[in-house]
Amino acid sequence: MSDNGKLPRFEAVVLVHLDAAYNLARWLTRDPAGAEDAVQDACLRAFRFFDQLQGPSAKAWFMAVVRHACYDWLQKRRAGAGDEPFDETLHTAGAAESLEATAVRESDARWVREGIAALPREYREVLVLRDLEELSYKEISAIVEVPIGTVMSRLSRGRDLLQQRLTQARQMHERKRT
């Protein structure tokens, strides 16, 4: 670490993407504590290899490091216990919103979260990177290490599968109400 300016540069270029890193890690690990561990590990790795930063953007490079840290965390975890179900506390609604509107909004959000969480990993990761983190196809291609066409195909299939699951969930809900 002979470069005294490395830490400030790292903070300015990489650490500004911590929220996106945690978001990706949360979706991949399906575990809040695991996501924190993976992001912390990714930060250490990214700092260590910061001089080797490459790819379409610093964010894409860092997200690739996060992705690999998540997969390492998942691999270590598989050696131990099984997967825990995805469970995220819903945000409270604004005071002006009616209880019925809040219930509908939270139910829809829960269906979407559960639908995304149930997607196979290769679809889930590109969907999160594109639709939640708003990364370009080129950046996603660099992160998941597949051609852009594969990214587009996985994204399309993932969205179709998510739509099917959301439609099924809504139909089941409607049948229960009648």
Side-chain angles (χ1 to χ4, degrees), residues 113-131:
R113 280 194 308 275
E114 289 172 355
I116 293 171
L119 290 174
R121 183 179 65 213
E122 63 271 8
Y123 300 143
R124 187 173 62 241
E125 69 186 357
V126 295
L127 194 118
V128 168
L129 291 169
R130 180 69 181 158
D131 293 339

Side-chain angles (χ1 to χ4, degrees), residues 25 32 39 85 96 148:
V39 170
I148 290 175

Side-chain angles (χ1 to χ4, degrees), residues 4-15:
N4 290 335
K6 183 177 180 180
L7 181 59
R9 280 193 344 264
F10 179 76
E11 290 172 345
V13 173
V14 175
L15 292 187

Side-chain angles (χ1 to χ4, degrees), residues 133-178:
E133 295 305 327
E134 300 177 343
L135 292 171
S136 71
Y137 294 124
K138 183 177 180 181
E139 290 171 318
I140 297 168
S141 173
I143 293 167
V144 300
E145 301 170 337
V146 297
I148 290 175
T150 303
V151 169
M152 293 167 63
S153 175
R154 286 181 183 177
L155 186 59
S156 177
R157 288 180 184 152
R159 286 174 176 163
D160 288 346
L161 190 54
L162 179 60
Q163 181 62 45
Q164 289 171 10
R165 290 182 179 178
L166 292 176
T167 300
Q168 289 171 349
R170 176 138 343 252
Q171 289 171 348
M172 286 177 48
H173 177 72
E174 291 299 321
R175 277 188 234 134
K176 287 180 183 179
R177 290 180 67 188
T178 57

